[in-house]
Amino acid sequence: GENVEQHPSTLSVQEGDSAVIKCTYSDSASNYFPWYKQELGKGPQLIIDIRSNVGEKKDQRIAVTLNKTAKHFSLHITETQPEDSAVYFCAALSSGSARQLTFGSGTQLTVLP
Amino acid sequence: GAGVSQSPSNKVTEKGKDVELRCDPISGHTALYWYRQRLGQGLEFLIYFQGNSAPDKSGLPSDRFSAERTGESVSTLTIQRTQQEDSAVYLCASSPKGSGIAGELFFGEGSRLTVL
């Protein structure tokens, strides 16, 4: 099955700086890669996703890049703000018979004012 | 509200007791998922429903865990003879698309289970 590894597990940045979270996946047939943000006491919420036919996608201050050859994808947050502080999860959807989202272990991002 | 609703939000139980967790998905969403999130860890897939059938139960940790769903509506996750290692947040998510189709999962706020 799919295996998704996520790094770092914790990340602290100064307000206004950029934050980068990286994930690798094992199943070369995976073709959909969403990122979820989980605020304290809430359920995860989709913030951006990318399909395997593109290499990069942007939405205001967040962007995701995908390198299919290397089987890794990254979340980039620019001009970080305190409200960006949360746990971020990457995930991968394989195209095999067991098509389920496999989540990474999460990154606790803290934006320091 | 229009979101996924889960109850109870918090449950404290004694080891050996049975618990039932409930999920009300967004109306019209055919797919429903249960995940377990242990403290400081990622989301562990438990079970998936398409309508009221469960084509994938592969994530259920043991036969103490079971789930059912009524039509395309409410789902209950039952844990029998709870153990301390069952302590976690149980998250439910729904989607208008079937499993295996790329698309957003809409999560509830979870049910926090503590087994003493």
Side-chain angles (χ1 to χ4, degrees), chain A residues 18-22 56 61-65 74-78:
Chain A
S18 295
V20 180
I21 302 169
K22 298 181 179 181
E56 183 175 5
R61 294 187 299 107
I62 59 173
V64 58
T65 59
S74 301
L75 178 71
H76 305 252
I77 306 174
T78 58

Side-chain angles (χ1 to χ4, degrees), chain B residues 24-102:
Chain B
D24 272 290
I26 294 172
S27 178
H29 281 195
T30 58
L32 186 148
Y33 304 79
W34 283 98
Y35 288 87
R36 179 168 69 178
Q37 186 176 27
R38 290 198 166 110
L39 187 63
Q41 300 197 12
L43 282 68
E44 177 187 359
F45 169 78
L46 297 179
I47 189 169
Y48 149 70
F49 288 92
Q50 183 66 36
N52 63 0
S53 68
D56 190 346
K57 305 179 182 180
S58 62
L60 294 177
S62 74
D63 59 7
R64 296 187 296 105
F65 287 72
S66 62
E68 61 180 27
R69 186 182 186 194
T70 306
E72 293 189 352
S73 185
V74 172
S75 175
T76 55
L77 176 68
T78 302
I79 309 173
Q80 296 179 308
R81 305 181 302 282
T82 52
Q83 304 293 312
Q84 289 182 331
E85 62 263 28
D86 299 334
S87 296
V89 175
Y90 290 82
L91 289 162
C92 175
S94 70
S95 170
K97 299 180 180 180
S99 177
I101 300 173

Side-chain angles (χ1 to χ4, degrees), chain A residues 46-106:
Chain A
L46 180 72
I47 55 170
I48 195 167
D49 57 14
I50 190 168
R51 284 161 169 75
S52 59
N53 57 347
V54 297
E56 183 175 5
K57 184 177 178 181
K58 286 185 179 180
D59 183 3
Q60 299 181 14
R61 294 187 299 107
I62 59 173
V64 58
T65 59
L66 171 65
N67 183 327
K68 285 200 67 181
T69 303
K71 290 190 284 187
H72 67 71
F73 55 114
S74 301
L75 178 71
H76 305 252
I77 306 174
T78 58
E79 301 171 20
T80 53
Q81 300 167 3
E83 53 265 37
D84 295 330
S85 296
V87 178
Y88 291 81
F89 292 98
C90 63
L93 179 67
S94 68
S95 60
S97 58
R99 283 179 61 84
Q100 296 293 349
L101 271 182
T102 301
F103 285 85
S105 55

